[in-house]
Amino acid sequence: MTRRIPAVRILATGGTIAGAAPSPRDTSGYQAGALPVDALLAALPPMDDVRVDARQLFSLDSKDALPGFWQALAREAALALTDPAVDGVVLTHGTDTMEETAWFLHLTLAPAKPLVITGAMRPATATSADGPMNLLQAVQVAACPHAARQGVIAVLNGQIHHARHLRKAHTHRVDAFDSGEAGPVGFVQDGYAGWLSPPRRTTPRFAPETPLAPVDILFDYPGISAAMVDAALRGGARGLVWAGYGNGSVSGRIEPLLREAHGRGLAIVRASRTGAGRVGVPDPGGFPQAAGLDPYKARIALMLALGAGTPPAALQALFDTLSYE
Ligand code: ASP
């Protein structure tokens, strides 16, 4: 009996992986999303153990990705995942907001097949571009049936990160991504995907078409202007993630303004600007805490929660649960 060769569909959205610069020396002066996905495929070695087809969905610099882009991508990814001819899906994406997109997809999709996101730190035209190896390894992981048990994952620089912990932690190095204290869930080497973490949940928390409520993030800092909170309210925010000091503390001058804004209907969640650790001090005033979610991930969770009509009293339990995804 002949073994069926796995089929992987690449959905291209742009980013540095499809970036082009005038010179191979340029690693920062380039246009993201300039090259079509066929050019990315042409840089891959021949593969006889996986069949690949590709669709160009967007040609975007991910710094310009808006929430509507997450929803459109979730729809396209869901379509590809339900195609019986497809065994796994790879998304090529800019690195700047990859963590937001991956987290949104994690919260809204329950991929029963591998769903892998990848990108690159150097444009495709650079000497020693990292895109071709990242794409090759993403395809190899997407062809691995075990990858489906992890939910939404990212493959970058030989490491596999889960959407829950993925973060861009460096401005330019090819090892720019990590998973903070949690560490990567796996690695890929010469086509072998190794798993360092047990399987995870694959139930979506929200429907992909859930309306996304406008939510801002404000970072605390000594001397922060009181006008910031007001600006969020006047800008139409329904929610605010407060990236506070340390364990989510709020500048004393600002706290009454937050309480007042809360009284005027603004949902407020306390997170931390530190970049690691859980916000866990009980809040007598009753603002829910982001628990282990960083401000960016807490914001997306709050956008979905408010859009889905989650009652205020249920927010803390939601953040606690999402923390442990
Ligand atoms: N600005 C680019 C983007 O996010 C950066 C990258 O892909 O590395 O699309």
Side-chain angles (χ1 to χ4, degrees):
M1 200 176 75
T2 49
R3 194 172 65 89
R4 185 172 167 274
I5 297 176
V8 170
R9 176 158 303 158
I10 298 174
L11 302 177
T13 74
T16 296
I17 192 168
S23 154
R25 294 165 188 252
D26 285 342
T27 59
S28 49
Y30 61 88
Q31 188 192 335
L35 301 177
V37 67
D38 289 348
L40 310 194
L41 291 181
L44 298 184
M47 286 179 274
D48 53 11
D49 49 356
V50 53
R51 285 179 294 126
V52 173
D53 77 317
R55 312 258 160 100
Q56 186 80 46
L57 299 183
F58 301 91
S59 295
L60 193 73
D61 186 320
S62 79
K63 72 180 173 57
D64 299 320
L66 297 174
F69 162 80
W70 303 332
Q71 292 170 313
L73 192 54
R75 276 194 299 275
E76 294 288 346
L79 271 178
L81 288 163
T82 49
D83 185 334
V86 170
D87 297 300
V89 172
V90 170
L91 307 175
T92 60
H93 194 287
T95 61
D96 283 346
T97 61
M98 185 183 285
E99 62 205 70
E100 274 96 343
T101 299
W103 179 234
F104 179 82
L105 296 176
H106 170 76
L107 292 177
T108 56
L109 297 177
K113 299 173 186 171
L115 179 54
V116 179
I117 190 163
T118 193
M121 292 300 291
R122 295 179 180 152
T125 49
T127 298
S128 201
D130 52 332
M133 183 56 91
N134 282 348
L135 182 55
L136 173 64
Q137 293 188 327
V139 167
Q140 290 167 334
V141 172
C144 165
H146 296 300
R149 300 187 304 190
Q150 292 292 338
V152 180
I153 50 179
V155 170
L156 295 144
N157 200 39
Q159 292 186 307
I160 308 173
H161 300 279
H162 191 267
R164 161 68 186 88
H165 294 285
L166 179 72
R167 59 177 196 177
K168 189 174 185 179
H170 198 275
T171 55
H172 61 84
R173 286 196 328 224
V174 293
D175 64 342
F177 282 85
D178 69 28
S179 287
E181 290 178 310
V185 293
F187 62 89
V188 51
Q189 181 200 24
D190 292 347
Y192 173 81
W195 301 100
L196 306 168
S197 168
R200 300 172 104 96
R201 168 194 79 81
T202 53
T203 331
R205 297 284 174 202
F206 299 96
E209 62 279 3
T210 304
L212 288 164
V215 173
D216 285 323
I217 303 173
L218 286 179
F219 285 77
D220 215 336
Y221 47 87
I224 181 174
S225 161
M228 301 296 276
V229 179
D230 217 38
L233 270 173
R234 275 189 282 108
R238 284 186 55 207
L240 178 67
V241 173
W242 187 260
Y245 300 118
N247 203 357
S249 325
V250 182
S251 289
R253 273 184 317 113
I254 300 293
E255 189 145 354
L257 301 179
L258 290 187
R259 305 264 173 233
E260 194 195 315
H262 185 57
R264 285 160 66 193
L266 188 69
I268 295 174
V269 171
R270 290 193 310 133
S272 172
R273 66 175 205 167
T274 58
R278 183 170 177 274
V279 175
V281 174
D283 181 355
F287 295 151
Q289 298 154 9
L293 298 184
D294 67 30
Y296 318 108
K297 291 186 176 69
R299 171 179 174 251
I300 294 175
L302 188 58
M303 291 169 86
L304 282 160
L306 294 177
T310 307
L315 285 176
Q316 188 59 65
L318 175 71
F319 282 100
D320 287 339
T321 308
L322 294 182
S323 248
Y324 289 103
E325 302 261 296

